[in-house]
Amino acid sequence: MTNGPVRTRIPVHTRIPVLLYHAVMEDPPDWIAEFTVSPREFASQLDAIVASGRTAVTVGALAAHVAGGTPLPPRPVVLTFDDGFADLVGPTAEALASRGLPATAYLTTGAITPGRSCLLPPAPMMTLAQAPRLAGYGMEVGGHTATHPQLDTLAPGALRRELRESKAVLEDVLGHEVQHLAYPHGYNSPAVRRAAAAAGYTSAVAVRHALSSGTDEVYRIARLILRRSHTVADIERWMEGRGAKAAPYPDSLPTVGWRMYRRARALLRGPEFAG
C-alpha cells in the first residue's frame, strides 16, 4: 500500500500550469492592483484547482522533473507567489494549507526587511522574520532578488549582488539552502540565466504567459500571471491544458526589442523597478 499520489515520468507533451500570484487582498495599492485578486476570488480559484483533479507540487519538484526526470504526479499544477505581501503569511497560506495545496513563495528581501532600500513601491508586506513560518504551511521559499530590478539591464557586478545577496539573506533566516529563483517581472536573458546558475540556484521561473511542460527550460520555467480580470473559467481552461501556448519556445522579436530598449534606458536612468 502506498501513500500519496502516484508519481511517474509524465509524457513530454503534458502541459503543466504554473500560476503566478502576487497580492490577495481587497484594497491593494494602485501599482499592484492589476495583479491582485480578492480573497473571495482566490478561494474560488483554489476550489477550481482542487476540483480539476490536478495535484499541486512545488517548483522544486517540477524543476527536478525537467532537469533530471524525477517523477511527478500524472497531472501536476504549481502555485507560486511573488514578492512577499502581508497576506501571504496568514490568510493566503491558510487557504492553501486547508486545501492541501503546497506552493512556492519567492521573497524580495529588500521589501520585507525593515530599513532596507527596495525598488518595489510601498505596500503591506510580510517581514523577513516571518519567512520560516511559510514552511509550516507547506510552502517552499525561493529568492526574488534584493531590490526587484530589471535583471536583464544590470551590469554583471550588480546582477551578481542582486542574486547572491537575497539568497544569502534568506538562507540565514531559514537555516537551509535556497535553490530556486524568480526573475522580477520575468525579465531575463541568456546572461541572467547563466548568472542564476553561477549564484547557486538550481531553477528559475520567468513569466512568459504560457503553460510549462516536461521539456521546459529549467532556468526560465514558464508561468501564467494572475490578473484581477481573470476568472474561475480561466483557471478551469488552464487546468485542462488550454488557453495558452506551451513552453519551451524562443523569444519573439518584440521581446528581444523590448529588452534592448530597456537596456538603453537603464544606461541613462540607472536600475529600474521591474513591474
Side-chain angles (χ1 to χ4, degrees), residues 28-93:
D30 289 344
W31 70 270
I32 196 63
E34 175 65 19
F35 302 110
T36 298
V37 299
S38 71
R40 178 177 292 183
E41 183 64 21
F42 182 61
S44 296
Q45 292 176 4
L46 295 186
D47 289 340
I49 292 169
V50 172
S52 75
R54 285 195 177 257
T55 301
V57 300
T58 62
V59 165
L62 174 58
H65 180 79
V66 172
T70 301
L72 282 177
R75 299 182 68 243
V77 60
V78 183
L79 288 84
T80 69
F81 297 81
D82 280 10
D83 299 326
F85 291 93
D87 62 90
L88 186 61
V89 180
T92 296

Side-chain angles (χ1 to χ4, degrees), residues 117-190:
S117 61
C118 187
L119 295 171
L120 276 175
M125 306 298 291
M126 61 177 281
T127 66
L128 181 64
Q130 293 176 312
R133 291 174 50 189
L134 295 174
Y137 288 108
M139 281 199 184
E140 171 182 69
V141 174
H144 197 39
T145 74
T147 69
H148 209 280
Q150 299 178 18
L151 291 178
D152 57 349
T153 69
L154 298 183
L159 173 60
R160 287 193 296 270
R161 285 192 297 275
E162 284 287 342
L163 297 177
R164 296 182 179 185
E165 178 186 328
S166 60
K167 189 175 191 293
V169 167
L170 289 171
E171 289 176 344
D172 184 60
V173 72
L174 294 170
H176 60 74
E177 187 177 7
V178 169
Q179 297 182 311
H180 309 293
L181 170 71
Y183 305 120
H185 208 65
Y187 289 144
N188 70 95
S189 66

Side-chain angles (χ1 to χ4, degrees), residues 178-236:
V178 169
Q179 297 182 311
H180 309 293
L181 170 71
Y183 305 120
H185 208 65
Y187 289 144
N188 70 95
S189 66
V192 170
R193 298 193 289 273
R194 289 193 296 270
Y201 295 101
T202 60
S203 84
V205 292
V207 180
R208 314 211 81 188
H209 310 294
L211 294 151
S212 184
S213 72
T215 57
D216 207 350
E217 299 168 81
V218 75
Y219 283 101
R220 60 168 174 179
I221 294 170
R223 294 190 290 175
L224 295 154
I225 191 167
L226 268 295
R227 290 180 162 85
R228 60 182 172 183
S229 58
H230 283 124
T231 66
V232 167
D234 294 304
I235 297 292
E236 291 171 341

